[in-house]
Amino acid sequence: MNSSEEIAVSGMSAGRSAMRMGPAELVQAAAMARRFYLEGKSKIQIAEEFGVSRFKVARVLETALERDLVRIEIRVPAELDAERSDALRARYGLRHAVVVESPAEAEESPDPENLGEVAADLLAELVNEGDVLGLAWGRSTIHMAAALDRLPPCTVVQLTGVYDAGTAERGSVEAVRRAAQVSGGDAHPIYAPMLLPDAATATALRNQTGIARAFEHFDKVTVACVSIGSWEPGISTVHDMLAEEERAHYASLGVAAEMSAHLFDAEGRRVGRDLGERCITVKADQLRRIPEVVAIAGGQRKGPAIDAVLRSGLVTSLVTDTSAADYLMTAGPAPKPALNRTDPDGV
């Protein structure tokens, strides 16, 4: 029985309708319910013990539920919102959606740190021995890596360059090293900025031995962890790295979100594709082929950006908070199921 389920069996505090049962019936029903729900015995085993048919056992158990003799409670840790999680998963057709309670003191802040802790536990569930885990740059993925305490043996590869090469040791590179250390697998970091001045410089860097070796693993990634940014200061790495004129140019194209240096409009269509030529990052088509892509993003201000990226079909699972989830549940018409992995551009 799942540890998140608690079965309360009581013959003394049954509801009014249960009191219509005679005392012998109550005692027998409580005993059968205890055998079935708490001790894990089968209906056949219970029938043999009490000398009745298994059909009688089934009727007694059903009556015990109907008359409140047995109460079944589904419980999850207080910080997880199971109802919102299931509703969000269904709305976007995700494989997994985990909604965490938003910290009261940080409702307006993007990506609360507790998202990283929950994402670390989720990755420990999703990653299998021998997998290739890809980590993209982002505050949330850095928080996730710092919270990792268990991971099956796997190879870990960095999927993007870093926001600032001077802080690589405290950012994506360290996240990759941390995940590899926990898993006991090989690490393939990328010591390069995410955004370069021009396409020629980016191409030259991609051909460097260490970076090229990491790029060779992109098509082998089985689980990826990414962040999502809104197109505004402080909430998008790419936005903050660009000059003012460039920001205005991409804004004119309708940018609503960015993920791993890929830009999306509100419908999940990719825009500003020329930017990718200047970036050290995994390609969008490669992300689409990865079996499991987990996005970590939260905060009310990121709601529209999360919605846009989910509509792109690149993400299969999401770790977010209640502030963002409440926005997402009412964000325009229901999107196509994310697990279809279709490209909104049709190319």
Side-chain angles (χ1 to χ4, degrees):
M1 183 172 296
N2 192 299
S3 61
S4 66
E5 298 184 5
E6 180 175 297
I7 311 300
V9 179
S10 171
M12 300 300 294
S13 59
R16 279 184 187 174
S17 59
M19 292 306 294
R20 295 175 185 172
M21 299 172 68
E25 291 177 301
L26 271 173
V27 170
Q28 184 183 70
M32 288 183 176
R34 185 173 298 278
R35 303 290 194 281
F36 185 73
Y37 290 109
L38 298 184
E39 299 176 12
K41 291 187 176 181
S42 70
K43 293 174 184 177
I44 293 177
Q45 289 175 313
I46 297 171
E48 291 176 350
E49 178 182 348
F50 286 87
V52 298
S53 71
R54 61 185 176 88
F55 301 105
K56 170 69 179 294
V57 173
R59 286 196 300 272
V60 170
L61 292 175
E62 183 178 351
T63 301
L65 283 172
E66 291 175 349
R67 299 190 178 186
D68 200 30
L69 184 63
V70 173
R71 298 185 305 278
I72 300 177
E73 299 177 1
I74 309 300
R75 294 183 178 180
V76 295
E79 69 271 14
L80 298 182
D81 192 313
E83 185 174 348
R84 281 185 175 93
S85 297
D86 189 54
L88 196 61
R89 179 200 56 76
R91 173 174 168 79
Y92 285 91
L94 297 165
R95 185 171 290 118
H96 304 284
V98 182
V99 178
V100 181
E101 193 69 33
S102 300
E105 70 279 3
E107 288 189 353
E108 296 302 316
S109 300
D111 303 336
E113 289 192 23
N114 61 338
L115 293 186
E117 297 171 4
V118 174
D121 287 339
L122 178 61
L123 276 190
E125 286 186 65
L126 299 180
V127 175
N128 295 308
E129 184 173 351
D131 276 347
V132 177
L133 171 63
L135 301 181
W137 161 267
R139 284 181 291 266
S140 57
T141 53
I142 292 170
H143 291 155
M144 179 278 299
L148 281 173
D149 59 9
R150 56 194 172 93
L151 205 61
C154 64
T155 298
V156 186
V157 60
Q158 193 169 323
L159 296 179
T160 66
V162 299
Y163 175 48
D164 181 352
T167 62
E169 293 301 310
R170 301 189 300 276
S172 298
V173 170
E174 178 55 32
V176 169
R177 285 179 171 173
R178 168 65 182 168
Q181 180 184 31
V182 172
S183 74
D186 294 333
H188 295 278
I190 294 178
Y191 294 94
M194 180 188 295
L195 180 66
L196 282 304
D198 51 64
T201 304
T203 299
L205 275 178
R206 292 189 200 104
N207 290 328
Q208 288 188 359
T209 303
I211 298 175
R213 188 176 297 117
F215 269 60
E216 289 173 359
H217 282 80
F218 287 180
D219 287 328
K220 304 173 186 176
V221 174
T222 50
V223 180
C225 190
V226 300
S227 296
I228 296 173
S230 300
W231 198 246
E232 56 181 300
I235 314 185
S236 165
T237 300
V238 174
H239 178 282
D240 292 347
M241 287 192 289
L242 292 171
E244 189 59 40
E245 288 184 5
E246 294 174 313
R247 295 172 189 166
H249 165 66
Y250 290 116
S252 71
L253 300 179
V255 175
E258 65 95 356
M259 178 182 70
S260 303
H262 300 294
L263 310 182
F264 306 88
D265 68 10
E267 300 302 318
R269 296 182 295 256
R270 288 182 59 211
V271 296
R273 298 188 182 213
D274 60 302
L275 183 66
E277 298 175 5
R278 297 168 49 193
C279 294
I280 303 297
T281 185
V282 61
K283 294 178 181 178
D285 289 343
Q286 289 175 311
L287 280 173
R288 200 178 301 279
R289 291 193 295 269
I290 296 174
E292 185 74 77
V293 178
V294 181
I296 312 171
Q300 190 173 19
R301 292 171 64 188
K302 276 197 177 181
I306 299 171
D307 177 62
V309 172
L310 291 182
R311 290 175 186 274
S312 74
L314 294 176
V315 169
T316 61
S317 297
L318 175 70
V319 177
T320 190
D321 65 352
T322 51
S323 294
D326 287 343
Y327 173 88
L328 293 169
M329 289 307 300
T330 58
K336 294 179 180 178
L339 293 182
N340 286 348
R341 311 304 294 275
T342 54
D343 188 338
D345 295 324
V347 296

